[in-house]
Amino acid sequence: MKLYEKLADEITEAVRRGVFAAGERIASVRQASQQHGVSIKTVLHAYALLESRGIVETRPQSGYFVRDAAARALATAPASPRTARKAPPPVPATVDVSRLVLSTLRSIRAHDAVPFGSPYPDPSLFPWRRINQYANAIARRHASWNLIDDLPPGNPELIRQIARRYAENGLPVDPGEIVITLGATEAINLSLQAVAKPGDTVAVESPTYYAMLHAIERLGMRAIEVTTHPQHGVDIDALAKVIARQKIAACMVMPNFQNPLGFRMPDERKRQLVELLAAHEIPAIENDVYQELYFGDTRPSSLKTFDTNGLVLHCASFSKSLSASYRIGWALPGRYRAQVEKLKFLNTLTTPSVPQVAVADYLRQDGYDRHLRHLRKVYRQQASIMSALVLRFFPVGTRVSTPQGGYVLWVELPPQVDAMRLYQAALARGITIGPGLMFSTRNDYRHFIRLNYSYPWTAHAEAALKTLGELVSAMAAA
Amino acid sequence: MKLYEKLADEITEAVRRGVFAAGERIASVRQASQQHGVSIKTVLHAYALLESRGIVETRPQSGYFVRDAAARALATAPASPRTARKAPPPVPATVDVSRLVLSTLRSIRAHDAVPFGSPYPDPSLFPWRRINQYANAIARRHASWNLIDDLPPGNPELIRQIARRYAENGLPVDPGEIVITLGATEAINLSLQAVAKPGDTVAVESPTYYAMLHAIERLGMRAIEVTTHPQHGVDIDALAKVIARQKIAACMVMPNFQNPLGFRMPDERKRQLVELLAAHEIPAIENDVYQELYFGDTRPSSLKTFDTNGLVLHCASFSKSLSASYRIGWALPGRYRAQVEKLKFLNTLTTPSVPQVAVADYLRQDGYDRHLRHLRKVYRQQASIMSALVLRFFPVGTRVSTPQGGYVLWVELPPQVDAMRLYQAALARGITIGPGLMFSTRNDYRHFIRLNYSYPWTAHAEAALKTLGELVSAMAAA
């Protein structure tokens, strides 16, 4: 093959893949000559060939542009065997919780579906305009950013604001303990890696939030699932028996508004849990991302509140209450602080600066509590509406959780209903749900689903829930 | 202790820790009553006590404020034994490369020192004004962000722009292969985890960029260091011998402008390296973050250019050439794409949206190449200046690298000079350097240092380099 043919084929392939979009200008002849290290003549020859194939067109004084028709036609054509990079054979992957979760999330995006299956809160309730204003003001006032300034543990002013919030809420925290992370996801990963090693066994709730299972899977550890009461949280006697029977490297729990059960673990049980674990020197990783989203009159305590040994690694974020896509989380790792800080440095170096400072600026103002009061009220109302309608639309034998905070409902379907089949059938109708299988490694909860009620309650959402109920009824009757 | 005393003590402690700064308003009586779940009377009593202690003062119509004098006095006082959370005993940590690196970085920040020791480029040369303008425009035009839109592999438009840039530079890349990460740091970590497991042995260059060692350390693997030529890169015969002798799970290299050596591996050697590894089915992790910072007339190739088996996991970022604190990196993981994408999801869920879109918008415009041409010219000039001055100021027996790109110089000192002692002595004079120990796990390179020449060359920098030369001379003569 001649050089100019090779170049023309490469550009054709790039158009097919959408690298160059319809109507977009490709490199000038001079640029292409430099970029590809070929002569001007070769480029001219290649571009003439592309024109004759109908892939690009020239516009006077402007250059070469991708023709709309060509982009459309190529998008559906198979790759040219000559220029496509050989598609690498994928290494087989076992079916696992994380793959199911990721494909559920993708289905929401791809189908623009009713987001009952989403684990994330409706972003339209967040104070974007104000946070973005702070971000913009920061971008304007700083000529440049030095990465070194926000190295772990993170931006000092953000750390101070987080400590201040804890102090105001009755949990005195040493700012020196806080490590800023990329969302609670990273905080949980780093905390687990700080206290346990591959092959270790970690106790989790059952059902458990799958991010816990992800962290365990990612680090090559084993999960042991402990019975969890839908109102009181993890069964402390059952946990004590597990601990008596085998070595447990860590315990991962979500004591406030657990995802998916929605319970608020009573203070006394939180204290008992901390004491049981402390008696065996077992670190507790506390995922407290929903703490701000309580429905009652009083803010819940955290496991950290009862920690006197530095054994609780408390993880939280602003992703559920202020802004998910800013990705600001943190850990209070107790006696494991040095390790968590170091792991943050090794894992992702730093968290982006502007989001850190924007959130700090937002917190310094007075609006956060007002925003949270509104959010809690909306979620509480929508929890009632969804619970009532599930009980109305779904067949006899359906049971729902009574969330004390957060924005998800846990629904037990009649036992003969397979939630994975329901998931597929619902998706075909543009509705997503969270299948119960995601919340366990034991193939449990096959007839459970999780529903997100953070989105505004519309006629469209109500119709979708009705459709879901009909699907469940049909499956229950089959 | 009475409730009001406890509350007053907590607030005092928060002021001592800087959680409430001098002049800052503390919660109103009503707010504090709600937050702490105590009566208005208790709060009034506590605040009166704080006033009598001189810690807060009232301002009419405004509330209670932290007194400047109190904040200053308390900042140096020891913690109250009653209210301080018990300081958790730190778990002992072994001295390792990452700790040395982190403390070097901290010293730059803490001392506002001459940043010869910094691994990061001078941020003032980056086009902040323009990138920030894009970020601001995005923040204004989007009412809200849905996390789901930018789930792994990442923002589709950013992916397309990155693919486009590769295509224009003669490396046709399938956009479907790209996974966006939080800087190259995360890309390297995920790539290594995708191909190797704890306990495996990974071949690296010697000296090697310490981020490679960090990734190996973090994942509980072992590094084997392979002789590396200061101009041609890793010794392929030596690597072949290592492979013949033992099982190697992966090979991590930096073929372009390696940090610290600065070489540009010749194309033929890149091809040989890829072929050697492919013959043994060993994945290559290529850290190509400096690729854009070449000094000659031609852009260097990558290992990826020669990869026909999908065994090269190419990692790069915009941190060295556009914006470090935006933290946008990516991986081209070849046949390991599915694993890397999944690990990204497990590790940090997503990369923040606004930085992704801002960089995509910036790339769509024409300014990046112009910016890079300027950056290359500045770095090339500063490399010459620093090399010449090191040879002038440092004693006989000093040798310097001849970087072909990037912004670091590798300096061999007379063998009797201990670079760690030099590091301490220089720091005492407000100058940082990168001690050679950071670039190996074998206690090698004790008389080597790395110097950053990305910062503008000033009289102050020149004086610092002269001071450094005097310290080296004194140590060499001792």
Side-chain angles (χ1 to χ4, degrees), chain A residues 294-327:
Chain A
Y294 54 92
F295 291 169
D297 291 332
T298 57
R299 169 183 302 276
S301 63
S302 301
L303 292 192
K304 192 76 181 172
T305 317
F306 304 103
D307 180 30
T308 53
N309 297 288
L311 276 168
V312 174
L313 296 94
H314 173 96
C315 302
S317 81
F318 293 110
S319 299
K320 312 301 186 201
S321 50
L322 184 57
S323 157
S325 63
Y326 271 53
R327 315 289 307 116

Side-chain angles (χ1 to χ4, degrees), chain A residues 122-200:
Chain A
D122 175 9
S124 70
L125 290 172
F126 289 162
W128 290 103
R129 207 174 53 81
R130 293 198 59 199
I131 312 176
N132 287 341
Q133 275 171 359
Y134 290 118
N136 288 0
I138 291 156
R140 275 194 301 270
R141 83 178 176 252
H142 283 267
S144 68
W145 285 99
N146 197 335
L147 192 69
I148 285 181
D149 294 335
D150 294 322
L151 279 176
N155 178 271
E157 181 58 19
L158 175 62
I159 287 174
R160 200 174 73 85
Q161 290 300 332
I162 292 172
R164 187 187 161 144
R165 200 162 169 84
Y166 277 109
E168 286 177 352
N169 292 331
L171 177 60
V173 160
D174 183 346
E177 187 181 344
I178 297 173
V179 179
I180 303 296
T181 58
L182 202 77
T185 305
E186 190 180 37
I188 290 165
N189 275 311
L190 304 182
S191 294
L192 184 59
Q193 191 173 0
V195 302
K197 56 183 193 310
D200 280 355

Side-chain angles (χ1 to χ4, degrees), chain B residues 264-284:
Chain B
R264 170 177 175 156
M265 202 175 177
D267 280 5
E268 195 40 40
R269 284 177 179 262
K270 283 176 180 153
R271 184 193 300 276
Q272 285 170 9
L273 177 58
V274 170
E275 286 172 359
L276 170 67
L277 294 171
H280 296 85
E281 284 276 317
I282 298 172

Side-chain angles (χ1 to χ4, degrees), chain A residues 246-257:
Chain A
Q246 63 190 287
K247 182 153 173 42
I248 298 296
C251 179
M252 301 179 87
V253 290
M254 208 163 174
N256 292 318
F257 323 124

Side-chain angles (χ1 to χ4, degrees), chain A residues 256-275:
Chain A
N256 292 318
F257 323 124
Q258 193 238 24
N259 185 335
L261 292 172
F263 60 76
R264 170 177 174 154
M265 202 176 179
D267 280 6
E268 194 41 39
R269 285 178 178 261
K270 283 176 181 152
R271 183 193 302 277
Q272 285 169 11
L273 177 58
V274 169
E275 285 172 358

Side-chain angles (χ1 to χ4, degrees), chain B residues 226-289:
Chain B
V226 182
T227 315
T228 298
H229 188 279
Q231 266 97 46
H232 303 145
V234 70
D235 182 326
I236 292 172
D237 292 338
L239 179 62
K241 280 181 195 144
V242 166
I243 292 172
R245 214 164 50 226
Q246 63 190 287
K247 183 155 171 39
I248 298 297
C251 179
M252 302 180 86
V253 289
M254 205 163 178
N256 292 319
F257 323 124
Q258 193 238 24
N259 185 333
L261 293 173
F263 58 76
R264 170 177 175 156
M265 202 175 177
D267 280 5
E268 195 40 40
R269 284 177 179 262
K270 283 176 180 153
R271 184 193 300 276
Q272 285 170 9
L273 177 58
V274 170
E275 286 172 359
L276 170 67
L277 294 171
H280 296 85
E281 284 276 317
I282 298 172
I285 296 169
E286 169 177 45
N287 180 347
D288 210 9
V289 292

